[in-house]
Amino acid sequence: MHTTVEQDAEAAPVDQEPAAAMAPVADEYAVPGFDAVAHLAAASLDVAMVALVLDSGSAYWYSRDPEARSPHALHPLYLEAARRGAGQVLPDIAADARYRDTPPLTGPSPAPLRFFACEPVFTLSGRHVGALCVMDHAPRSGLDETGRAALRDAARLAGAGVVLGGYLGRTDPVTQLPHRSAFFEDLRARSRNGVQRAWLIAIEVAPVERFNAFVRAMGFTYADELMRAVAARVQGWIPARTNLYQVGVTRFAAVLPDGDRPLETDQLDDLVARLRRPFDCLDIPLTLQPGVGLLDLDVRQLDGNDPLRQVMSASYAAQRSPRGWALYERRQDERHRQEFFLVTELAAALTERTELYLHYQPRVRLSDGRCVAVEALARWRHPTLGEVPPGQFVPLAERAGLMRSLTGWVLDHGVAQLAAWRRAGHDIGLSLNISNADFDADLVTRLEGVVDRHGVDPRVLELEFTESTLLAHNDATRRHLDAVRELGAGIAIDDFGTGYSNLASLRQMPATCLKIDQSFVRAMDASRHDAAIVRSTAALAHDLGFRVVVEGVETRRIYETVRRMACDEVQGFHVSRPLPAAAVPPWLERSAEWHHADGQGEP
Ligand code: C2E
Ligand code: CA
Ligand code: CA
């Protein structure tokens, strides 16, 4: 039976009772292999106890005594051994004149130790880092040559473990900053030190999806370089006496030095401003979307809590706030947990693909009432949650980096369905919603892929982009849009009017169609103002050469009103709600000449 415990000398006030926290500490920061080395040393030298004491003050204990606890204060002998670069053998401390005035030597258990021997520990590169000590309760005559050799070998192995531990456990290979395990170790050291409260700060550099996109586009060298540049900027800001830790690929954290006083808002604004400034990394400018989270932590309640997860949830929320920093809030945390649950479920749904399906909403041409196209709208029926609305899971997919996969599924499924309808003689087109995350060179390739696979003429397809997606344009965006047009597919500007763009700026986009957002349309009956917006937008868009679609037409009155405007097509509950695939052909047949003959209500 043995126990391995570790402790931190600085955190061990000599005049206090050992706290309950002296139980074996989890393996957050360990010296890999210490246990095995100590076990071997204890067996070959037949001693009760082994300790690895580093000159940094950390100590690792191995004891055959089941009751062993970490000693609450390191006996000066251990610290002396850790600092001395040479071995030492003390056959009987109690009889040694040099130690007459020091308290009796103990280890993890209170019974005094009499025999002590140590060997210095060096890293592989020869740096002296501490000592490996062996102790026993009974005095001995000394240590023979075989015993000394065994102790030397064990010390050498421990040195290799220290190197490994430092490497694996404490520093990030890219930024050279201490790691998450070191963060927890240092936090624990504070709690052992009697600190009760601490402010944690966490910095999330960019949303996962964006960072993955950087890596996809630029490669790992660029990403590494970027993280080093970000770390340097944070280091330039961080208060004195504060360690910065790298706690994830794109995440940093620190424990602020003053437990009682959080930072001034100015200081936080300053950090956010520094991180929002573009990075000029390998001569490629890049703007991040940082989020800074803060958490007031009760250090005594470290166990069973994950303060890092909590403070990260605040930085995650901050990423999407204008201010860029946020305090931890339990309610928000709950939301994030639910979101996390949904994301996991959505990821599964995207692999299984039995819970996802599409609805199709018809769009009719005002000049003759014919249904010209349907819009594919994603649906998700979760086995226990039921129907999850797209307004919830689409933005979630966007944030969680699942959008490409969702769009891929909608493209493939929708175009396959369209091909079947067209083969059955229904001459209709299909509109597909494309999100920001889909917008890269791949989009055209993916479109070509489905078109080929299902044998559909790309000219019957239309891709809908929101205003904000189109306006975040640059030369690359423009090239992708041109490629979509060259393939023959149409481009629609969705939800027009909800952003800040004006028509003139959109005219430079190779779009063919403009969909006026339903928010203006639905209130048209009640608000003359909204009616005027729809009328003038439609007229102007028409003059600029766009096909104009009015969305959200819910009543016959509105239908009649927009019919008198410069609109080409309408979509809305008055025409039809989104329909399951099987309901589309019967609907098409019933409404071949959609209410045009008499201009009356639903077919
Ligand atoms: P959207 O692209 O603007 O789609 C039209 C939305 O308006 C649909 O909501 C539709 O059911 C609803 N709608 C249509 N006519 C009326 C009406 O007369 N009155 C009212 N009140 N609503 C009407 P839905 O299906 O809940 O979709 C919401 C949004 O989710 C869509 O807005 C779209 O932005 C997004 N979405 C849905 N499917 C996909 C998809 O496959 N990919 C992407 N990227 N986004 C999707
Ligand atoms: Ca749409
Ligand atoms: Ca829309």
Side-chain angles (χ1 to χ4, degrees):
M1 183 64 208
H2 74 270
T3 317
T4 309
V5 282
E6 58 180 280
Q7 77 166 126
D8 199 312
E10 288 166 333
V14 183
D15 54 0
Q16 257 179 28
E17 277 303 291
M22 291 302 184
V25 180
D27 203 16
E28 293 278 13
Y29 166 40
V31 174
F34 170 70
D35 220 25
V37 170
H39 183 76
L40 272 176
S44 62
L45 293 157
D46 192 26
V47 289
M49 225 163 270
V50 180
L52 171 63
V53 188
L54 301 182
D55 57 6
S56 62
S58 301
Y60 300 82
W61 298 95
Y62 176 94
S63 165
R64 290 170 161 182
D65 175 359
E67 298 297 307
R69 312 199 135 229
S70 178
H72 60 283
L74 274 184
H75 192 279
L77 195 56
Y78 295 116
L79 293 170
E80 220 180 278
R83 278 168 206 144
R84 185 187 307 123
Q88 189 183 24
V89 181
L90 300 173
D92 185 0
I93 299 159
D96 197 317
R98 286 171 296 175
Y99 298 98
R100 199 183 301 136
D101 298 330
T102 58
L105 181 69
T106 55
S109 53
L113 295 159
R114 302 277 292 272
F115 171 70
F116 177 93
C118 69
E119 265 298 316
V121 170
F122 297 94
T123 64
L124 300 179
S125 59
R127 190 162 61 87
H128 174 234
V129 287
L132 189 72
C133 313
V134 293
M135 288 76 65
D136 206 26
H137 297 295
R140 295 198 178 174
S141 55
L143 203 57
D144 62 13
E145 203 31 60
T146 327
R148 285 202 83 122
L151 187 56
R152 262 200 309 274
D153 286 346
R156 208 175 289 158
L157 283 171
V162 171
V163 176
L164 258 181
Y167 224 76
L168 299 179
R170 277 195 85 92
T171 31
D172 183 88
V174 173
T175 56
Q176 299 298 325
L177 288 174
H179 242 207
R180 188 175 57 224
S181 45
F183 174 81
F184 279 109
E185 174 58 24
D186 294 355
L187 206 53
R188 279 210 186 82
R190 275 176 199 241
S191 83
R192 288 198 293 263
N193 235 345
V195 171
Q196 300 189 346
R197 282 177 69 203
W199 278 89
L200 302 193
I201 185 166
I203 299 154
E204 180 116 51
V205 166
V208 201
E209 168 57 15
R210 276 193 67 188
F211 193 78
N212 289 347
F214 300 153
V215 177
R216 263 202 312 274
M218 317 295 300
F220 281 104
T221 317
Y222 183 82
D224 289 353
E225 198 58 46
L226 177 66
M227 287 314 289
R228 277 192 284 268
V230 177
R233 264 195 212 174
V234 180
Q235 291 279 31
W237 169 87
I238 206 126
R241 296 185 293 124
T242 312
N243 283 334
L244 185 65
Y245 302 83
Q246 177 142 21
V247 294
V249 182
T250 56
R251 292 160 181 184
F252 301 100
V255 187
L256 295 172
D258 197 334
D260 297 326
R261 217 187 45 216
L263 294 161
E264 305 291 334
T265 46
D266 287 358
Q267 287 171 282
L268 292 163
D269 289 341
D270 176 40
L271 174 60
V272 172
R274 283 171 192 242
L275 293 173
R276 280 183 179 165
R277 270 206 327 269
F279 283 84
D280 201 7
C281 195
L282 302 177
D283 288 331
I284 300 161
L286 186 93
T287 310
L288 298 174
Q289 191 189 332
V292 175
L294 288 158
L295 169 72
D296 183 6
L297 177 72
D298 185 341
V299 180
R300 292 162 302 182
Q301 295 184 344
L302 270 182
D303 293 332
N305 270 316
D306 189 346
L308 200 53
R309 189 196 63 72
Q310 291 174 331
V311 70
M312 290 312 310
S313 99
S315 54
Y316 177 68
Q319 244 172 5
R320 287 175 277 150
S321 81
R323 204 167 52 173
W325 58 266
L327 295 182
Y328 170 77
E329 275 176 53
R330 188 184 296 276
R331 243 184 324 165
Q332 196 157 50
D333 190 23
E334 282 304 314
R335 263 207 304 282
H336 288 153
R337 280 174 184 243
Q338 275 165 12
E339 209 171 78
F340 177 75
F341 170 72
L342 269 189
V343 166
T344 332
E345 294 294 288
L346 183 59
L350 281 165
T351 340
E352 305 285 329
R353 304 187 166 191
T354 51
E355 297 168 19
L356 294 173
Y357 60 102
L358 289 176
H359 269 176
Y360 300 88
Q361 188 175 35
R363 212 167 70 204
V364 299
R365 186 158 62 201
L366 282 167
S367 64
D368 58 4
R370 232 178 63 78
C371 172
V372 283
V374 293
E375 176 176 358
L377 294 161
R379 296 289 179 261
W380 178 21
R381 190 185 300 118
H382 184 272
T384 56
L385 300 170
E387 294 288 342
V388 183
Q392 197 173 348
F393 74 80
V394 168
L396 199 64
E398 229 147 32
R399 288 203 291 274
L402 296 171
M403 204 59 224
R404 287 168 59 88
S405 157
L406 178 63
T407 305
W409 180 84
V410 173
L411 276 178
D412 197 46
H413 212 74
V415 174
Q417 180 61 74
L418 180 74
W421 285 331
R422 291 185 64 83
R423 279 196 301 272
H426 299 291
D427 183 18
I428 54 167
L430 180 73
S431 290
L432 296 146
N433 291 287
I434 303 296
S435 114
N436 224 338
D438 299 306
F439 218 176
D440 55 23
D442 222 25
L443 178 63
V444 185
T445 324
R446 293 201 288 165
L447 194 60
E448 278 169 340
V450 284
V451 160
D452 285 349
R453 209 159 39 247
H454 303 297
V456 161
D457 182 345
R459 282 173 301 186
V460 300
L461 300 180
E462 186 169 66
L463 304 187
E464 299 190 359
F465 300 89
T466 61
E467 242 181 283
S468 53
T469 306
L470 288 179
L471 284 178
H473 62 75
N474 50 36
D475 289 349
T477 325
R478 178 62 206 239
R479 276 198 305 279
H480 305 327
L481 288 173
D482 285 339
V484 170
R485 287 295 298 129
E486 268 160 40
L487 198 63
I491 291 171
I493 302 164
D494 203 358
D495 303 343
F496 182 76
T498 54
Y500 302 98
S501 51
N502 54 42
L503 279 172
S505 64
L506 285 173
R507 199 168 59 153
Q508 292 145 24
M509 289 283 114
T512 43
C513 168
L514 187 130
K515 297 182 88 173
I516 299 178
D517 189 63
Q518 35 182 292
S519 57
F520 302 102
V521 182
R522 286 212 302 269
M524 250 169 70
D525 260 351
S527 151
R528 288 195 14 232
H529 181 67
D530 281 335
I533 291 179
V534 174
R535 179 176 301 108
S536 56
T537 308
L540 199 60
H542 213 83
D543 288 349
L544 289 172
F546 291 114
R547 221 172 68 249
V548 178
V549 177
V550 176
E551 281 195 282
V553 174
E554 290 184 346
T555 64
R556 197 183 126 212
R557 255 179 81 148
I558 295 181
Y559 181 86
E560 291 305 331
T561 313
V562 298
R563 210 172 149 182
R564 287 191 295 274
M565 297 177 179
C567 301
D568 300 285
E569 295 164 19
V570 297
Q571 184 177 341
F573 292 173
H574 177 63
V575 175
S576 169
R577 291 193 172 254
L579 302 169
V584 171
W587 186 91
L588 288 172
E589 268 140 38
R590 267 186 290 135
S591 59
E593 293 289 312
W594 194 80
H595 99 307
H596 193 244
D598 58 3
Q600 299 299 307
E602 277 188 86

